[in-house]
Amino acid sequence: MVNWGIIGLGNMGLKFARSIKETNNSNLAGVASLNDKKLKFFQDNFKIDRKNLYKNYDDLINSNVIDSVYIATLNNSHLDLIKKCAEHKKNILCEKPIALNYEEALNALKYINKNKIIFFEAIAFRSHPQTKIVKQIIDKNEIGEIISVESTFGFKVKKINPTSRLFNKELGGGSILDLGCYPMSTLSFLFDKKGKYKFTNTSGSFAYTDVDDSAEAMILINDQVECKIKVSIRENLHNKTIITGTQGKLIINNPWLPEKKTTLDIEINNSSYKKFINSELSIFANQTQKIAENFQNNVIGDEFLVDIDDSLNIMKNLTEWSKLIRK
């Protein structure tokens, strides 16, 4: 059984706590927050012992009852917490993004390697059964050799709050940091993590707080696969991933937050069919169950999760994308 501690009791912290209830290999042992009301809420709703309610993050990290930590705080705090958790030999699941830029991600890697702990980044769709089915369809060559990928993730924020995590630059706001990891994680999954990525065209727009509120990129992978990705916090996008091959097309209708029942559309030559996928667990419970299993078995890398090598590849490309749209 993995004894989890949660740092940060906002929306994602709550979803993670609820996901633990669906698993058979995880236990919520303690939580940490700077907000007394949130601590009380978690105590009442998740039956946490009072002594394992921590009013500062360091006390949870130092606790002997915690062996793995879910980091669910704001983006700008991730690196510091990763360092501390690693130094105290805690395995880590960190909410995306791993850090604010590639340099910070490399810094995190040093601590992870030095202290020999296991790290995964919380991009939950990767552990959903849908992703395995996608891989099976591609590996069986049903749509032929991949020639292009189109992937989008966008929603409209009606009112800009300059102090919110989405629009505050110091907190790591912006569409690329908040959403870019999703389509970029898809590319990292479909192709070699060390594949050759060439940005052939980029564009973006910016909110008055100077964070990108929309960004597009054309990427040529391994000199042969054309990929178009777009993210936005200013407009609703189709939020689909379309993988085109030499013999057909695979459409992932709900790529980012697939539910227990989801579908894929497959088009081959002049015929088409739907693939129905069922999952016993919710998307976040799938992730928690799989990561806890890897922690228990000391598994460092997993193609159906975002491990540290994958995180570095994704963050390297996100950082370059962010720089290019400002030129």
Side-chain angles (χ1 to χ4, degrees):
M1 186 68 66
V2 172
N3 288 315
W4 286 95
I6 302 176
I7 298 179
L9 303 183
N11 180 50
M12 293 312 301
L14 180 58
K15 287 182 177 179
F16 181 77
R18 287 172 174 163
S19 79
I20 286 177
K21 290 185 175 183
E22 295 184 56
T23 69
N24 58 24
N25 60 2
S26 294
N27 171 58
L28 182 54
V31 295
S33 176
L34 307 180
N35 186 308
D36 289 339
K37 289 183 179 180
K38 289 182 179 179
L39 286 172
K40 184 66 167 59
F41 176 85
F42 271 71
Q43 180 186 22
D44 293 343
N45 287 272
F46 297 99
K47 309 304 179 186
I48 300 170
D49 194 313
R50 178 182 290 274
K51 66 182 181 182
N52 297 325
L53 300 172
Y54 303 100
K55 293 186 178 181
N56 69 74
Y57 303 154
D58 289 349
D59 285 348
L60 181 143
I61 294 170
N62 292 332
S63 172
N64 291 328
V65 303
I66 306 294
D67 49 48
S68 299
V69 176
Y70 173 56
I71 299 173
T73 51
L74 296 173
N75 297 347
N76 63 329
S77 66
H78 289 179
L79 176 59
D80 183 55
L81 291 171
I82 289 170
K83 288 180 179 180
K84 290 181 177 180
C85 288
E87 287 175 334
H88 287 82
K89 310 299 182 182
K90 309 293 188 186
N91 289 328
I92 301 168
L93 171 62
C94 181
E95 191 51 49
K96 53 81 187 169
I98 180 176
L100 298 184
N101 52 55
Y102 185 52
E103 183 179 356
E104 283 194 1
L106 288 173
N107 196 353
L109 174 67
K110 292 179 183 178
Y111 282 80
I112 290 165
N113 286 344
K114 178 182 177 181
N115 293 283
K116 298 179 181 179
I117 59 101
I118 304 173
F119 173 94
F120 291 106
E121 186 176 354
I123 302 179
F125 80 87
R126 285 280 290 269
S127 55
H128 191 279
Q130 174 174 264
T131 305
K132 284 190 177 182
I133 299 299
V134 168
K135 180 173 171 54
Q136 288 172 8
I137 291 170
I138 292 171
D139 287 350
K140 289 179 181 177
N141 207 37
E142 287 192 40
I143 62 169
E145 184 178 349
I146 298 175
I147 56 178
S148 71
V149 179
E150 183 176 349
S151 190
T152 62
F153 192 2
F155 55 83
K156 185 175 182 179
V157 179
K158 294 180 179 180
K159 185 177 181 180
I160 296 176
N161 178 358
T163 64
S164 73
R165 65 174 186 85
L166 284 177
F167 291 99
N168 188 312
K169 198 171 185 179
E170 292 184 1
L171 299 180
S175 60
I176 290 178
L177 272 181
D178 192 64
L179 301 177
C181 56
Y182 290 94
M184 204 64 79
S185 172
T186 295
L187 300 185
S188 189
F189 173 74
L190 292 174
F191 307 102
D192 190 336
K193 296 174 186 176
K194 297 181 180 179
K196 180 182 177 183
Y197 286 65
K198 180 182 179 182
F199 285 82
T200 58
N201 191 28
T202 59
S203 62
S205 61
F206 300 88
Y208 72 83
T209 59
D210 198 35
V211 301
D212 55 280
D213 57 11
S214 182
E216 296 182 58
M218 295 291 295
I219 305 171
L220 186 64
I221 297 182
N222 297 331
D223 295 321
Q224 56 185 1
V225 183
E226 295 183 347
C227 302
K228 181 180 181 182
I229 61 177
K230 181 176 181 179
V231 292
S232 179
I233 53 177
R234 64 179 296 176
E235 62 178 319
N236 296 314
L237 300 178
H238 291 301
N239 298 340
K240 292 186 178 183
T241 293
I242 303 171
I243 305 167
T244 302
T246 52
Q247 297 177 30
K249 185 181 293 185
L250 168 60
I251 302 171
I252 308 174
N253 296 303
N254 191 0
W256 315 130
L257 290 170
E259 298 179 354
K260 289 185 176 181
K261 293 185 178 182
T262 187
T263 63
L264 302 173
D265 288 329
I266 297 95
E267 301 174 7
I268 301 173
N269 297 324
N270 294 322
S271 64
S272 63
Y273 71 93
K274 280 188 179 293
K275 180 73 175 179
F276 296 90
I277 302 162
N278 296 317
S279 173
E280 293 182 2
L281 302 176
S282 66
I283 180 171
F284 297 111
N286 270 306
Q287 177 179 249
T288 304
Q289 178 86 16
K290 180 64 172 172
I291 287 174
E293 179 182 315
N294 285 353
F295 285 170
Q296 289 175 311
N297 296 321
N298 201 34
V299 175
I300 296 173
D302 190 324
E303 67 177 319
F304 293 106
L305 294 169
V306 178
D307 56 39
I308 185 57
D309 289 337
D310 216 350
S311 284
L312 288 172
N313 182 55
I314 292 166
M315 183 51 71
K316 181 179 181 181
N317 287 317
L318 293 182
T319 299
E320 184 174 357
W321 189 8
S322 296
K323 289 179 178 178
L324 287 171
I325 66 170
R326 289 185 178 274
K327 286 187 175 180

